[in-house]
Amino acid sequence: MTQRLLKLGMIHKKIDAADRRRVTLTISNKGRAALERLAPIQRQVNDLEFGCLSHQEFALLTDIVDRLIDSGAKAVALQT
């Protein structure tokens, strides 16, 4: 998927000079414009997908995901 997005000019890829296994992906202006066009459609999809959750359940889900992201970042840092 990354290669496809690169070819379409939607993202930029930067290889870490210290550790060539690590890369940083950033969204390009073209990619940002596409996301802005798709946002209303994605909002409808999200409303349908997460509509089965109460406000409290959704808040719990986002808290869990945030903590997993944080612990994942700590795990990566531990390896470097």
Side-chain angles (χ1 to χ4, degrees), residues 39-56:
I41 297 165
Q42 187 62 52
R43 192 170 298 112
Q44 290 176 329
V45 171
N46 288 348
D47 288 348
L48 286 172
E49 186 169 4
F50 296 105
C52 63
L53 300 177
S54 69
H55 179 73
Q56 183 179 6

Side-chain angles (χ1 to χ4, degrees), residues 5-77:
L5 291 171
L6 281 167
K7 286 179 184 177
L8 291 171
M10 299 291 188
I11 60 172
H12 302 292
K13 179 179 177 180
K14 180 180 176 188
I15 298 173
D16 188 312
D19 184 350
R20 297 190 54 78
R21 296 171 296 177
R22 295 182 68 181
V23 298
T24 302
L25 301 175
T26 55
I27 190 166
S28 67
N29 289 338
K30 183 178 179 181
R32 188 169 311 285
L35 285 173
E36 288 175 10
R37 284 191 310 275
L38 292 172
I41 297 165
Q42 187 62 52
R43 192 170 298 112
Q44 290 176 329
V45 171
N46 288 348
D47 288 348
L48 286 172
E49 186 169 4
F50 296 105
C52 63
L53 300 177
S54 69
H55 179 73
Q56 183 179 6
E57 290 169 327
F58 186 78
L60 178 60
L61 175 63
T62 56
D63 178 60
I64 291 169
V65 171
D66 287 343
R67 287 187 283 146
L68 286 170
I69 291 169
D70 184 53
S71 64
K74 289 176 183 173
V76 169

